[in-house]
Amino acid sequence: MRGLNYTFAETADAAVTQFAEAGGSARYIAGGTNIYDLMKLGIERPAHLIDVSRIEGLDAIETDGDVLRFGGRALMADVARAPVVRDEYPVLAESLLKAASQQLRNMATVGGNLLQRTRCMYFRNGAGSSTTVGVYLCNKREPGSGCAALGGLDRTQAVLGTSEACTAVAPGDWPVALAAMDATIEVFGPEGTRNIPIADFYLLPGDTPHREFNINPGELVTAITVRKTPAGRTSTYHKIRDRESYAFALASAAVAVEMDGDAVRTARIALGGVATTPWRASAAERVVVGSSLTPELALEAGHAAFTEARPGQHNAFKVELGARVIADALIIAAQRRV
Amino acid sequence: MTDHGCNNETSSGVTRRTVLGVSAGVTAASLVPLRLDAQEQVPVPGPENGPTTHISFQVNGERVTIDVDGRASLLDLLRERLALTGTKKGCDHGQCGACTVHLDGRPVSSCLTMAAKVDGRQVTTIEGLARGDELHPMQQAFIDNDALQCGYCTPGQIMSAVACVTQGQATDPGAIREFMSGNICRCGAYVGILAAIAQAAETMEG
């Protein structure tokens, strides 16, 4: 790791100004749980870190009015235990509480978590750090170099949204819940403020897998907003892992429904652990809307989400697992109606 | 409720840490900083060769003012500059929990906490739990329940365990296991750890 300047920004304006003054190799740091890890792996090599974790007001959790608004540097632990989130939006609270460990949730921010990078082991290993193992090609790390995951140990790789250049899984849980809830991401940068629907925030790998987020250099995630909906109460984040806690998802589903008796009036379904971005499963939603929810229909919806799946050598199990995660999540969510 | 969550008093006289520091110092006198006077944290001049940041913070109730390399972790600051080697480096990537300390009373992984971040804040390490010769109830509970084998993960386990109780999460075995899932024990002493936390939850509340 090379030496770097570490400075604090007291305001979002100051952060953006510092970023511009530092030239190309500056990065913002909030909790640091991802970028510092990537620096140790030799993947991120900033010459200047601008600490945005002290910006006044950027940690606000506002629940009045028509929207929930989470400041970009609000801690994952604090958002998860905000009373409105805990009681009325279990899909949001559970996605946070089933992520990482209590230590990391005390450090990591809800804005930074949106930008968490993949756990693909070929991406993480091979950048030349002394603590990594082997040297692997990765189009995300070194554009155009190739992808060692194709035909490699691909058990944890994506089956949806993949390309010939990249099969790396989007790692987050919180972004999956936000995708189901149609959240909006507010960023602030040299050109002012932009509000980006989460559906437009994550980029499919295509032939440019190094471009992951719809965010420009110098832009800072200042807030996340979620429009309030009664579907929040009838929701869940269902996550299946190799061990029961403190692991990334093999498959997960964020589900929120509005029920009319046994019939599903509206459904929001998003998938994690199986796709290259937080993955809205519209095909699954169409299967259940307007029908009585039965275990059979729920599983049919799950399968509908994977008709386009392209598994590799060792991850075909994710197709059936993912379908069943959706099915179980639908039943869990529907049972939460008051 | 007695507050055992964070004890800022420092011990005086010879401690286990001092003895270990001295014996290690015999073979590596120039490398191992001796901490004979626990009343005062004397930072070791660092081999820092990158741009530094001037920070001032409290560790176990003692004020520390120091220039840290911009790349440094809180873990390395504690171990290499302040001779607080109770906090352990396991994976150095936030995956094992061995380096858990409290920052402003909340557990964090010190390996992924950049040292510059602790400016103006309070850090409590495993060395800050006991009151003189009187162990923290959680430390005693770990001994009583054989909650360790090799002991390397134990300081991190205890720091998380204290927070598990003070945050009201030690309500049942399932809740304890979930809260403690960020602390890995390679020896598999989980049964003892669970029992220790359940025991300490009662004594800490007493």
Side-chain angles (χ1 to χ4, degrees):
Chain A
M1 206 186 299
R2 63 175 174 171
L4 55 86
N5 288 308
Y6 197 104
T7 55
F8 287 92
E10 302 299 330
T11 64
D13 274 319
V16 171
T17 302
Q18 284 186 25
F19 192 97
E21 287 171 356
S25 61
R27 294 298 306 268
Y28 296 127
I29 181 170
T33 53
N34 193 216
I35 194 172
Y36 195 18
D37 183 35
L38 294 170
M39 287 162 60
K40 293 181 181 193
L41 294 171
I43 296 169
E44 291 279 1
R45 299 165 185 264
H48 190 151
L49 284 176
I50 301 161
D51 192 318
V52 297
S53 68
R54 295 184 179 185
I55 294 178
E56 192 83 22
L58 208 64
D59 60 343
I61 299 170
E62 298 165 51
T63 57
D64 295 336
D66 294 337
V67 296
L68 304 170
R69 191 174 194 279
F70 308 113
R73 75 165 179 90
L75 298 178
M76 291 173 72
D78 290 344
V79 172
R81 69 181 174 198
V84 169
V85 175
R86 190 188 59 211
D87 298 337
E88 296 178 33
Y89 295 85
V91 65
L92 298 179
E94 289 170 5
S95 76
L96 292 165
L97 292 173
K98 291 181 180 181
S101 63
Q102 50 91 18
Q103 294 98 316
L104 296 174
R105 294 192 296 269
N106 282 335
M107 305 162 68
T109 64
V110 292
N113 187 257
L114 299 179
L115 306 175
Q116 184 183 16
R117 302 197 70 193
T118 185
R119 304 299 292 190
C120 173
M121 62 180 173
Y122 297 108
F123 168 76
R124 286 175 61 80
N125 287 280
S129 161
S130 59
T131 61
T132 61
V133 182
V135 177
Y136 299 102
L137 301 177
C138 175
N139 288 321
K140 204 181 267 299
R141 206 178 57 232
E142 288 288 336
S145 64
C147 174
L150 295 174
L153 295 174
D154 60 5
R155 178 176 176 271
T156 56
Q157 299 299 108
V159 297
L160 292 167
T162 58
S163 71
E164 293 303 312
C166 186
T167 62
V169 167
D173 298 299
W174 167 244
V176 175
L178 292 176
M181 302 309 287
D182 289 317
T184 298
I185 316 302
E186 177 191 290
V187 302
F188 176 74
E191 310 296 322
T193 299
R194 290 197 298 145
N195 284 290
I196 308 162
I198 193 164
D200 299 332
F201 191 75
Y202 292 96
L203 308 177
L204 286 168
D207 54 9
T208 55
H210 58 289
R211 296 186 63 242
E212 297 169 328
F213 313 107
N214 176 2
I215 190 165
N216 300 315
E219 283 185 328
L220 178 67
V221 176
T222 45
I224 298 157
T225 56
V226 174
R227 188 160 291 283
K228 286 190 177 175
T229 163
R233 247 182 217 282
T234 325
S235 73
T236 190
Y237 186 74
H238 193 47
K239 180 178 180 184
I240 302 300
R241 298 165 264 192
D242 273 326
R243 60 186 177 197
E244 192 167 319
S245 180
Y246 195 28
F248 289 88
L250 289 172
S252 67
V255 169
V257 292
E258 287 175 282
M259 301 296 289
D260 193 355
D262 287 335
V264 180
R265 192 159 65 228
T266 67
R268 303 147 171 270
I269 303 175
L271 283 164
V274 296
T276 54
T277 65
W279 193 262
R280 188 70 180 257
S282 307
E285 296 170 1
R286 285 193 293 272
V287 170
V288 293
V289 168
S291 300
S292 288
L293 188 65
T294 62
E296 293 74 22
L297 188 74
L299 188 56
E300 186 186 331
H303 285 136
F306 286 88
T307 52
E308 308 285 318
R310 291 174 52 192
Q313 290 187 82
H314 310 290
N315 61 355
F317 75 97
K318 285 194 175 188
V319 174
E320 187 62 23
L321 179 65
R324 288 167 186 259
V325 168
I326 285 180
D328 287 353
L330 274 166
I331 301 297
I332 294 168
Q335 285 173 345
R336 285 186 171 162
R337 80 193 111 150
V338 262
Chain B
M1 177 180 155
T2 309
D3 178 17
H4 289 293
C6 176
N7 175 18
N8 289 336
E9 295 172 31
T10 53
S11 59
S12 57
V14 177
T15 65
R16 178 168 175 271
R17 172 57 51 211
T18 310
V19 171
L20 288 175
V22 169
S23 59
V26 171
T27 53
S30 62
L31 296 177
V32 179
L34 304 185
R35 187 169 162 249
L36 295 171
D37 179 4
Q39 299 300 319
E40 186 187 3
Q41 272 299 347
V42 183
V44 180
E48 314 292 58
N49 52 14
T52 57
T53 302
H54 188 72
I55 63 170
S56 181
F57 69 110
Q58 286 199 0
V59 57
N60 301 329
E62 302 171 21
R63 176 152 299 284
V64 175
T65 300
I66 190 170
D67 292 322
V68 293
D69 191 295
R71 296 164 291 184
S73 66
L74 172 59
L75 173 60
D76 285 343
L77 169 60
L78 292 170
R79 291 184 56 86
E80 308 297 331
R81 304 288 303 282
L82 302 179
L84 292 168
T85 52
T87 306
K88 300 301 186 228
K89 181 180 283 192
C91 68
D92 208 27
H93 286 275
Q95 298 175 9
C96 77
C99 68
T100 304
V101 301
H102 292 185
L103 184 58
D104 292 340
R106 297 169 72 159
V108 297
S109 298
S110 62
C111 73
L112 287 186
T113 301
M114 297 207 81
K117 276 190 168 293
V118 304
D119 183 44
R121 304 177 72 177
Q122 293 196 17
V123 175
T124 305
T125 70
I126 188 72
E127 290 92 340
L129 288 187
R131 298 183 177 184
D133 290 335
E134 185 192 345
L135 293 178
H136 186 284
M138 190 63 74
Q139 293 174 305
Q140 188 60 53
F142 266 62
I143 294 170
D144 294 345
N145 291 278
D146 274 340
L148 59 136
Q149 195 176 121
C150 84
Y152 196 80
C153 72
T154 308
Q157 297 279 0
I158 290 175
M159 297 311 288
S160 284
V162 168
C164 181
V165 175
T166 56
Q167 292 179 24
Q169 299 299 311
T171 50
D172 62 79
I176 294 173
R177 285 193 189 97
E178 173 57 36
F179 190 94
M180 295 296 294
S181 67
N183 290 81
I184 310 296
C185 172
R186 223 33 319 166
C187 303
Y190 296 111
V191 173
I193 292 169
L194 189 65
I197 295 170
Q199 173 187 314
E202 296 190 2
T203 53
M204 285 170 70
E205 281 161 10

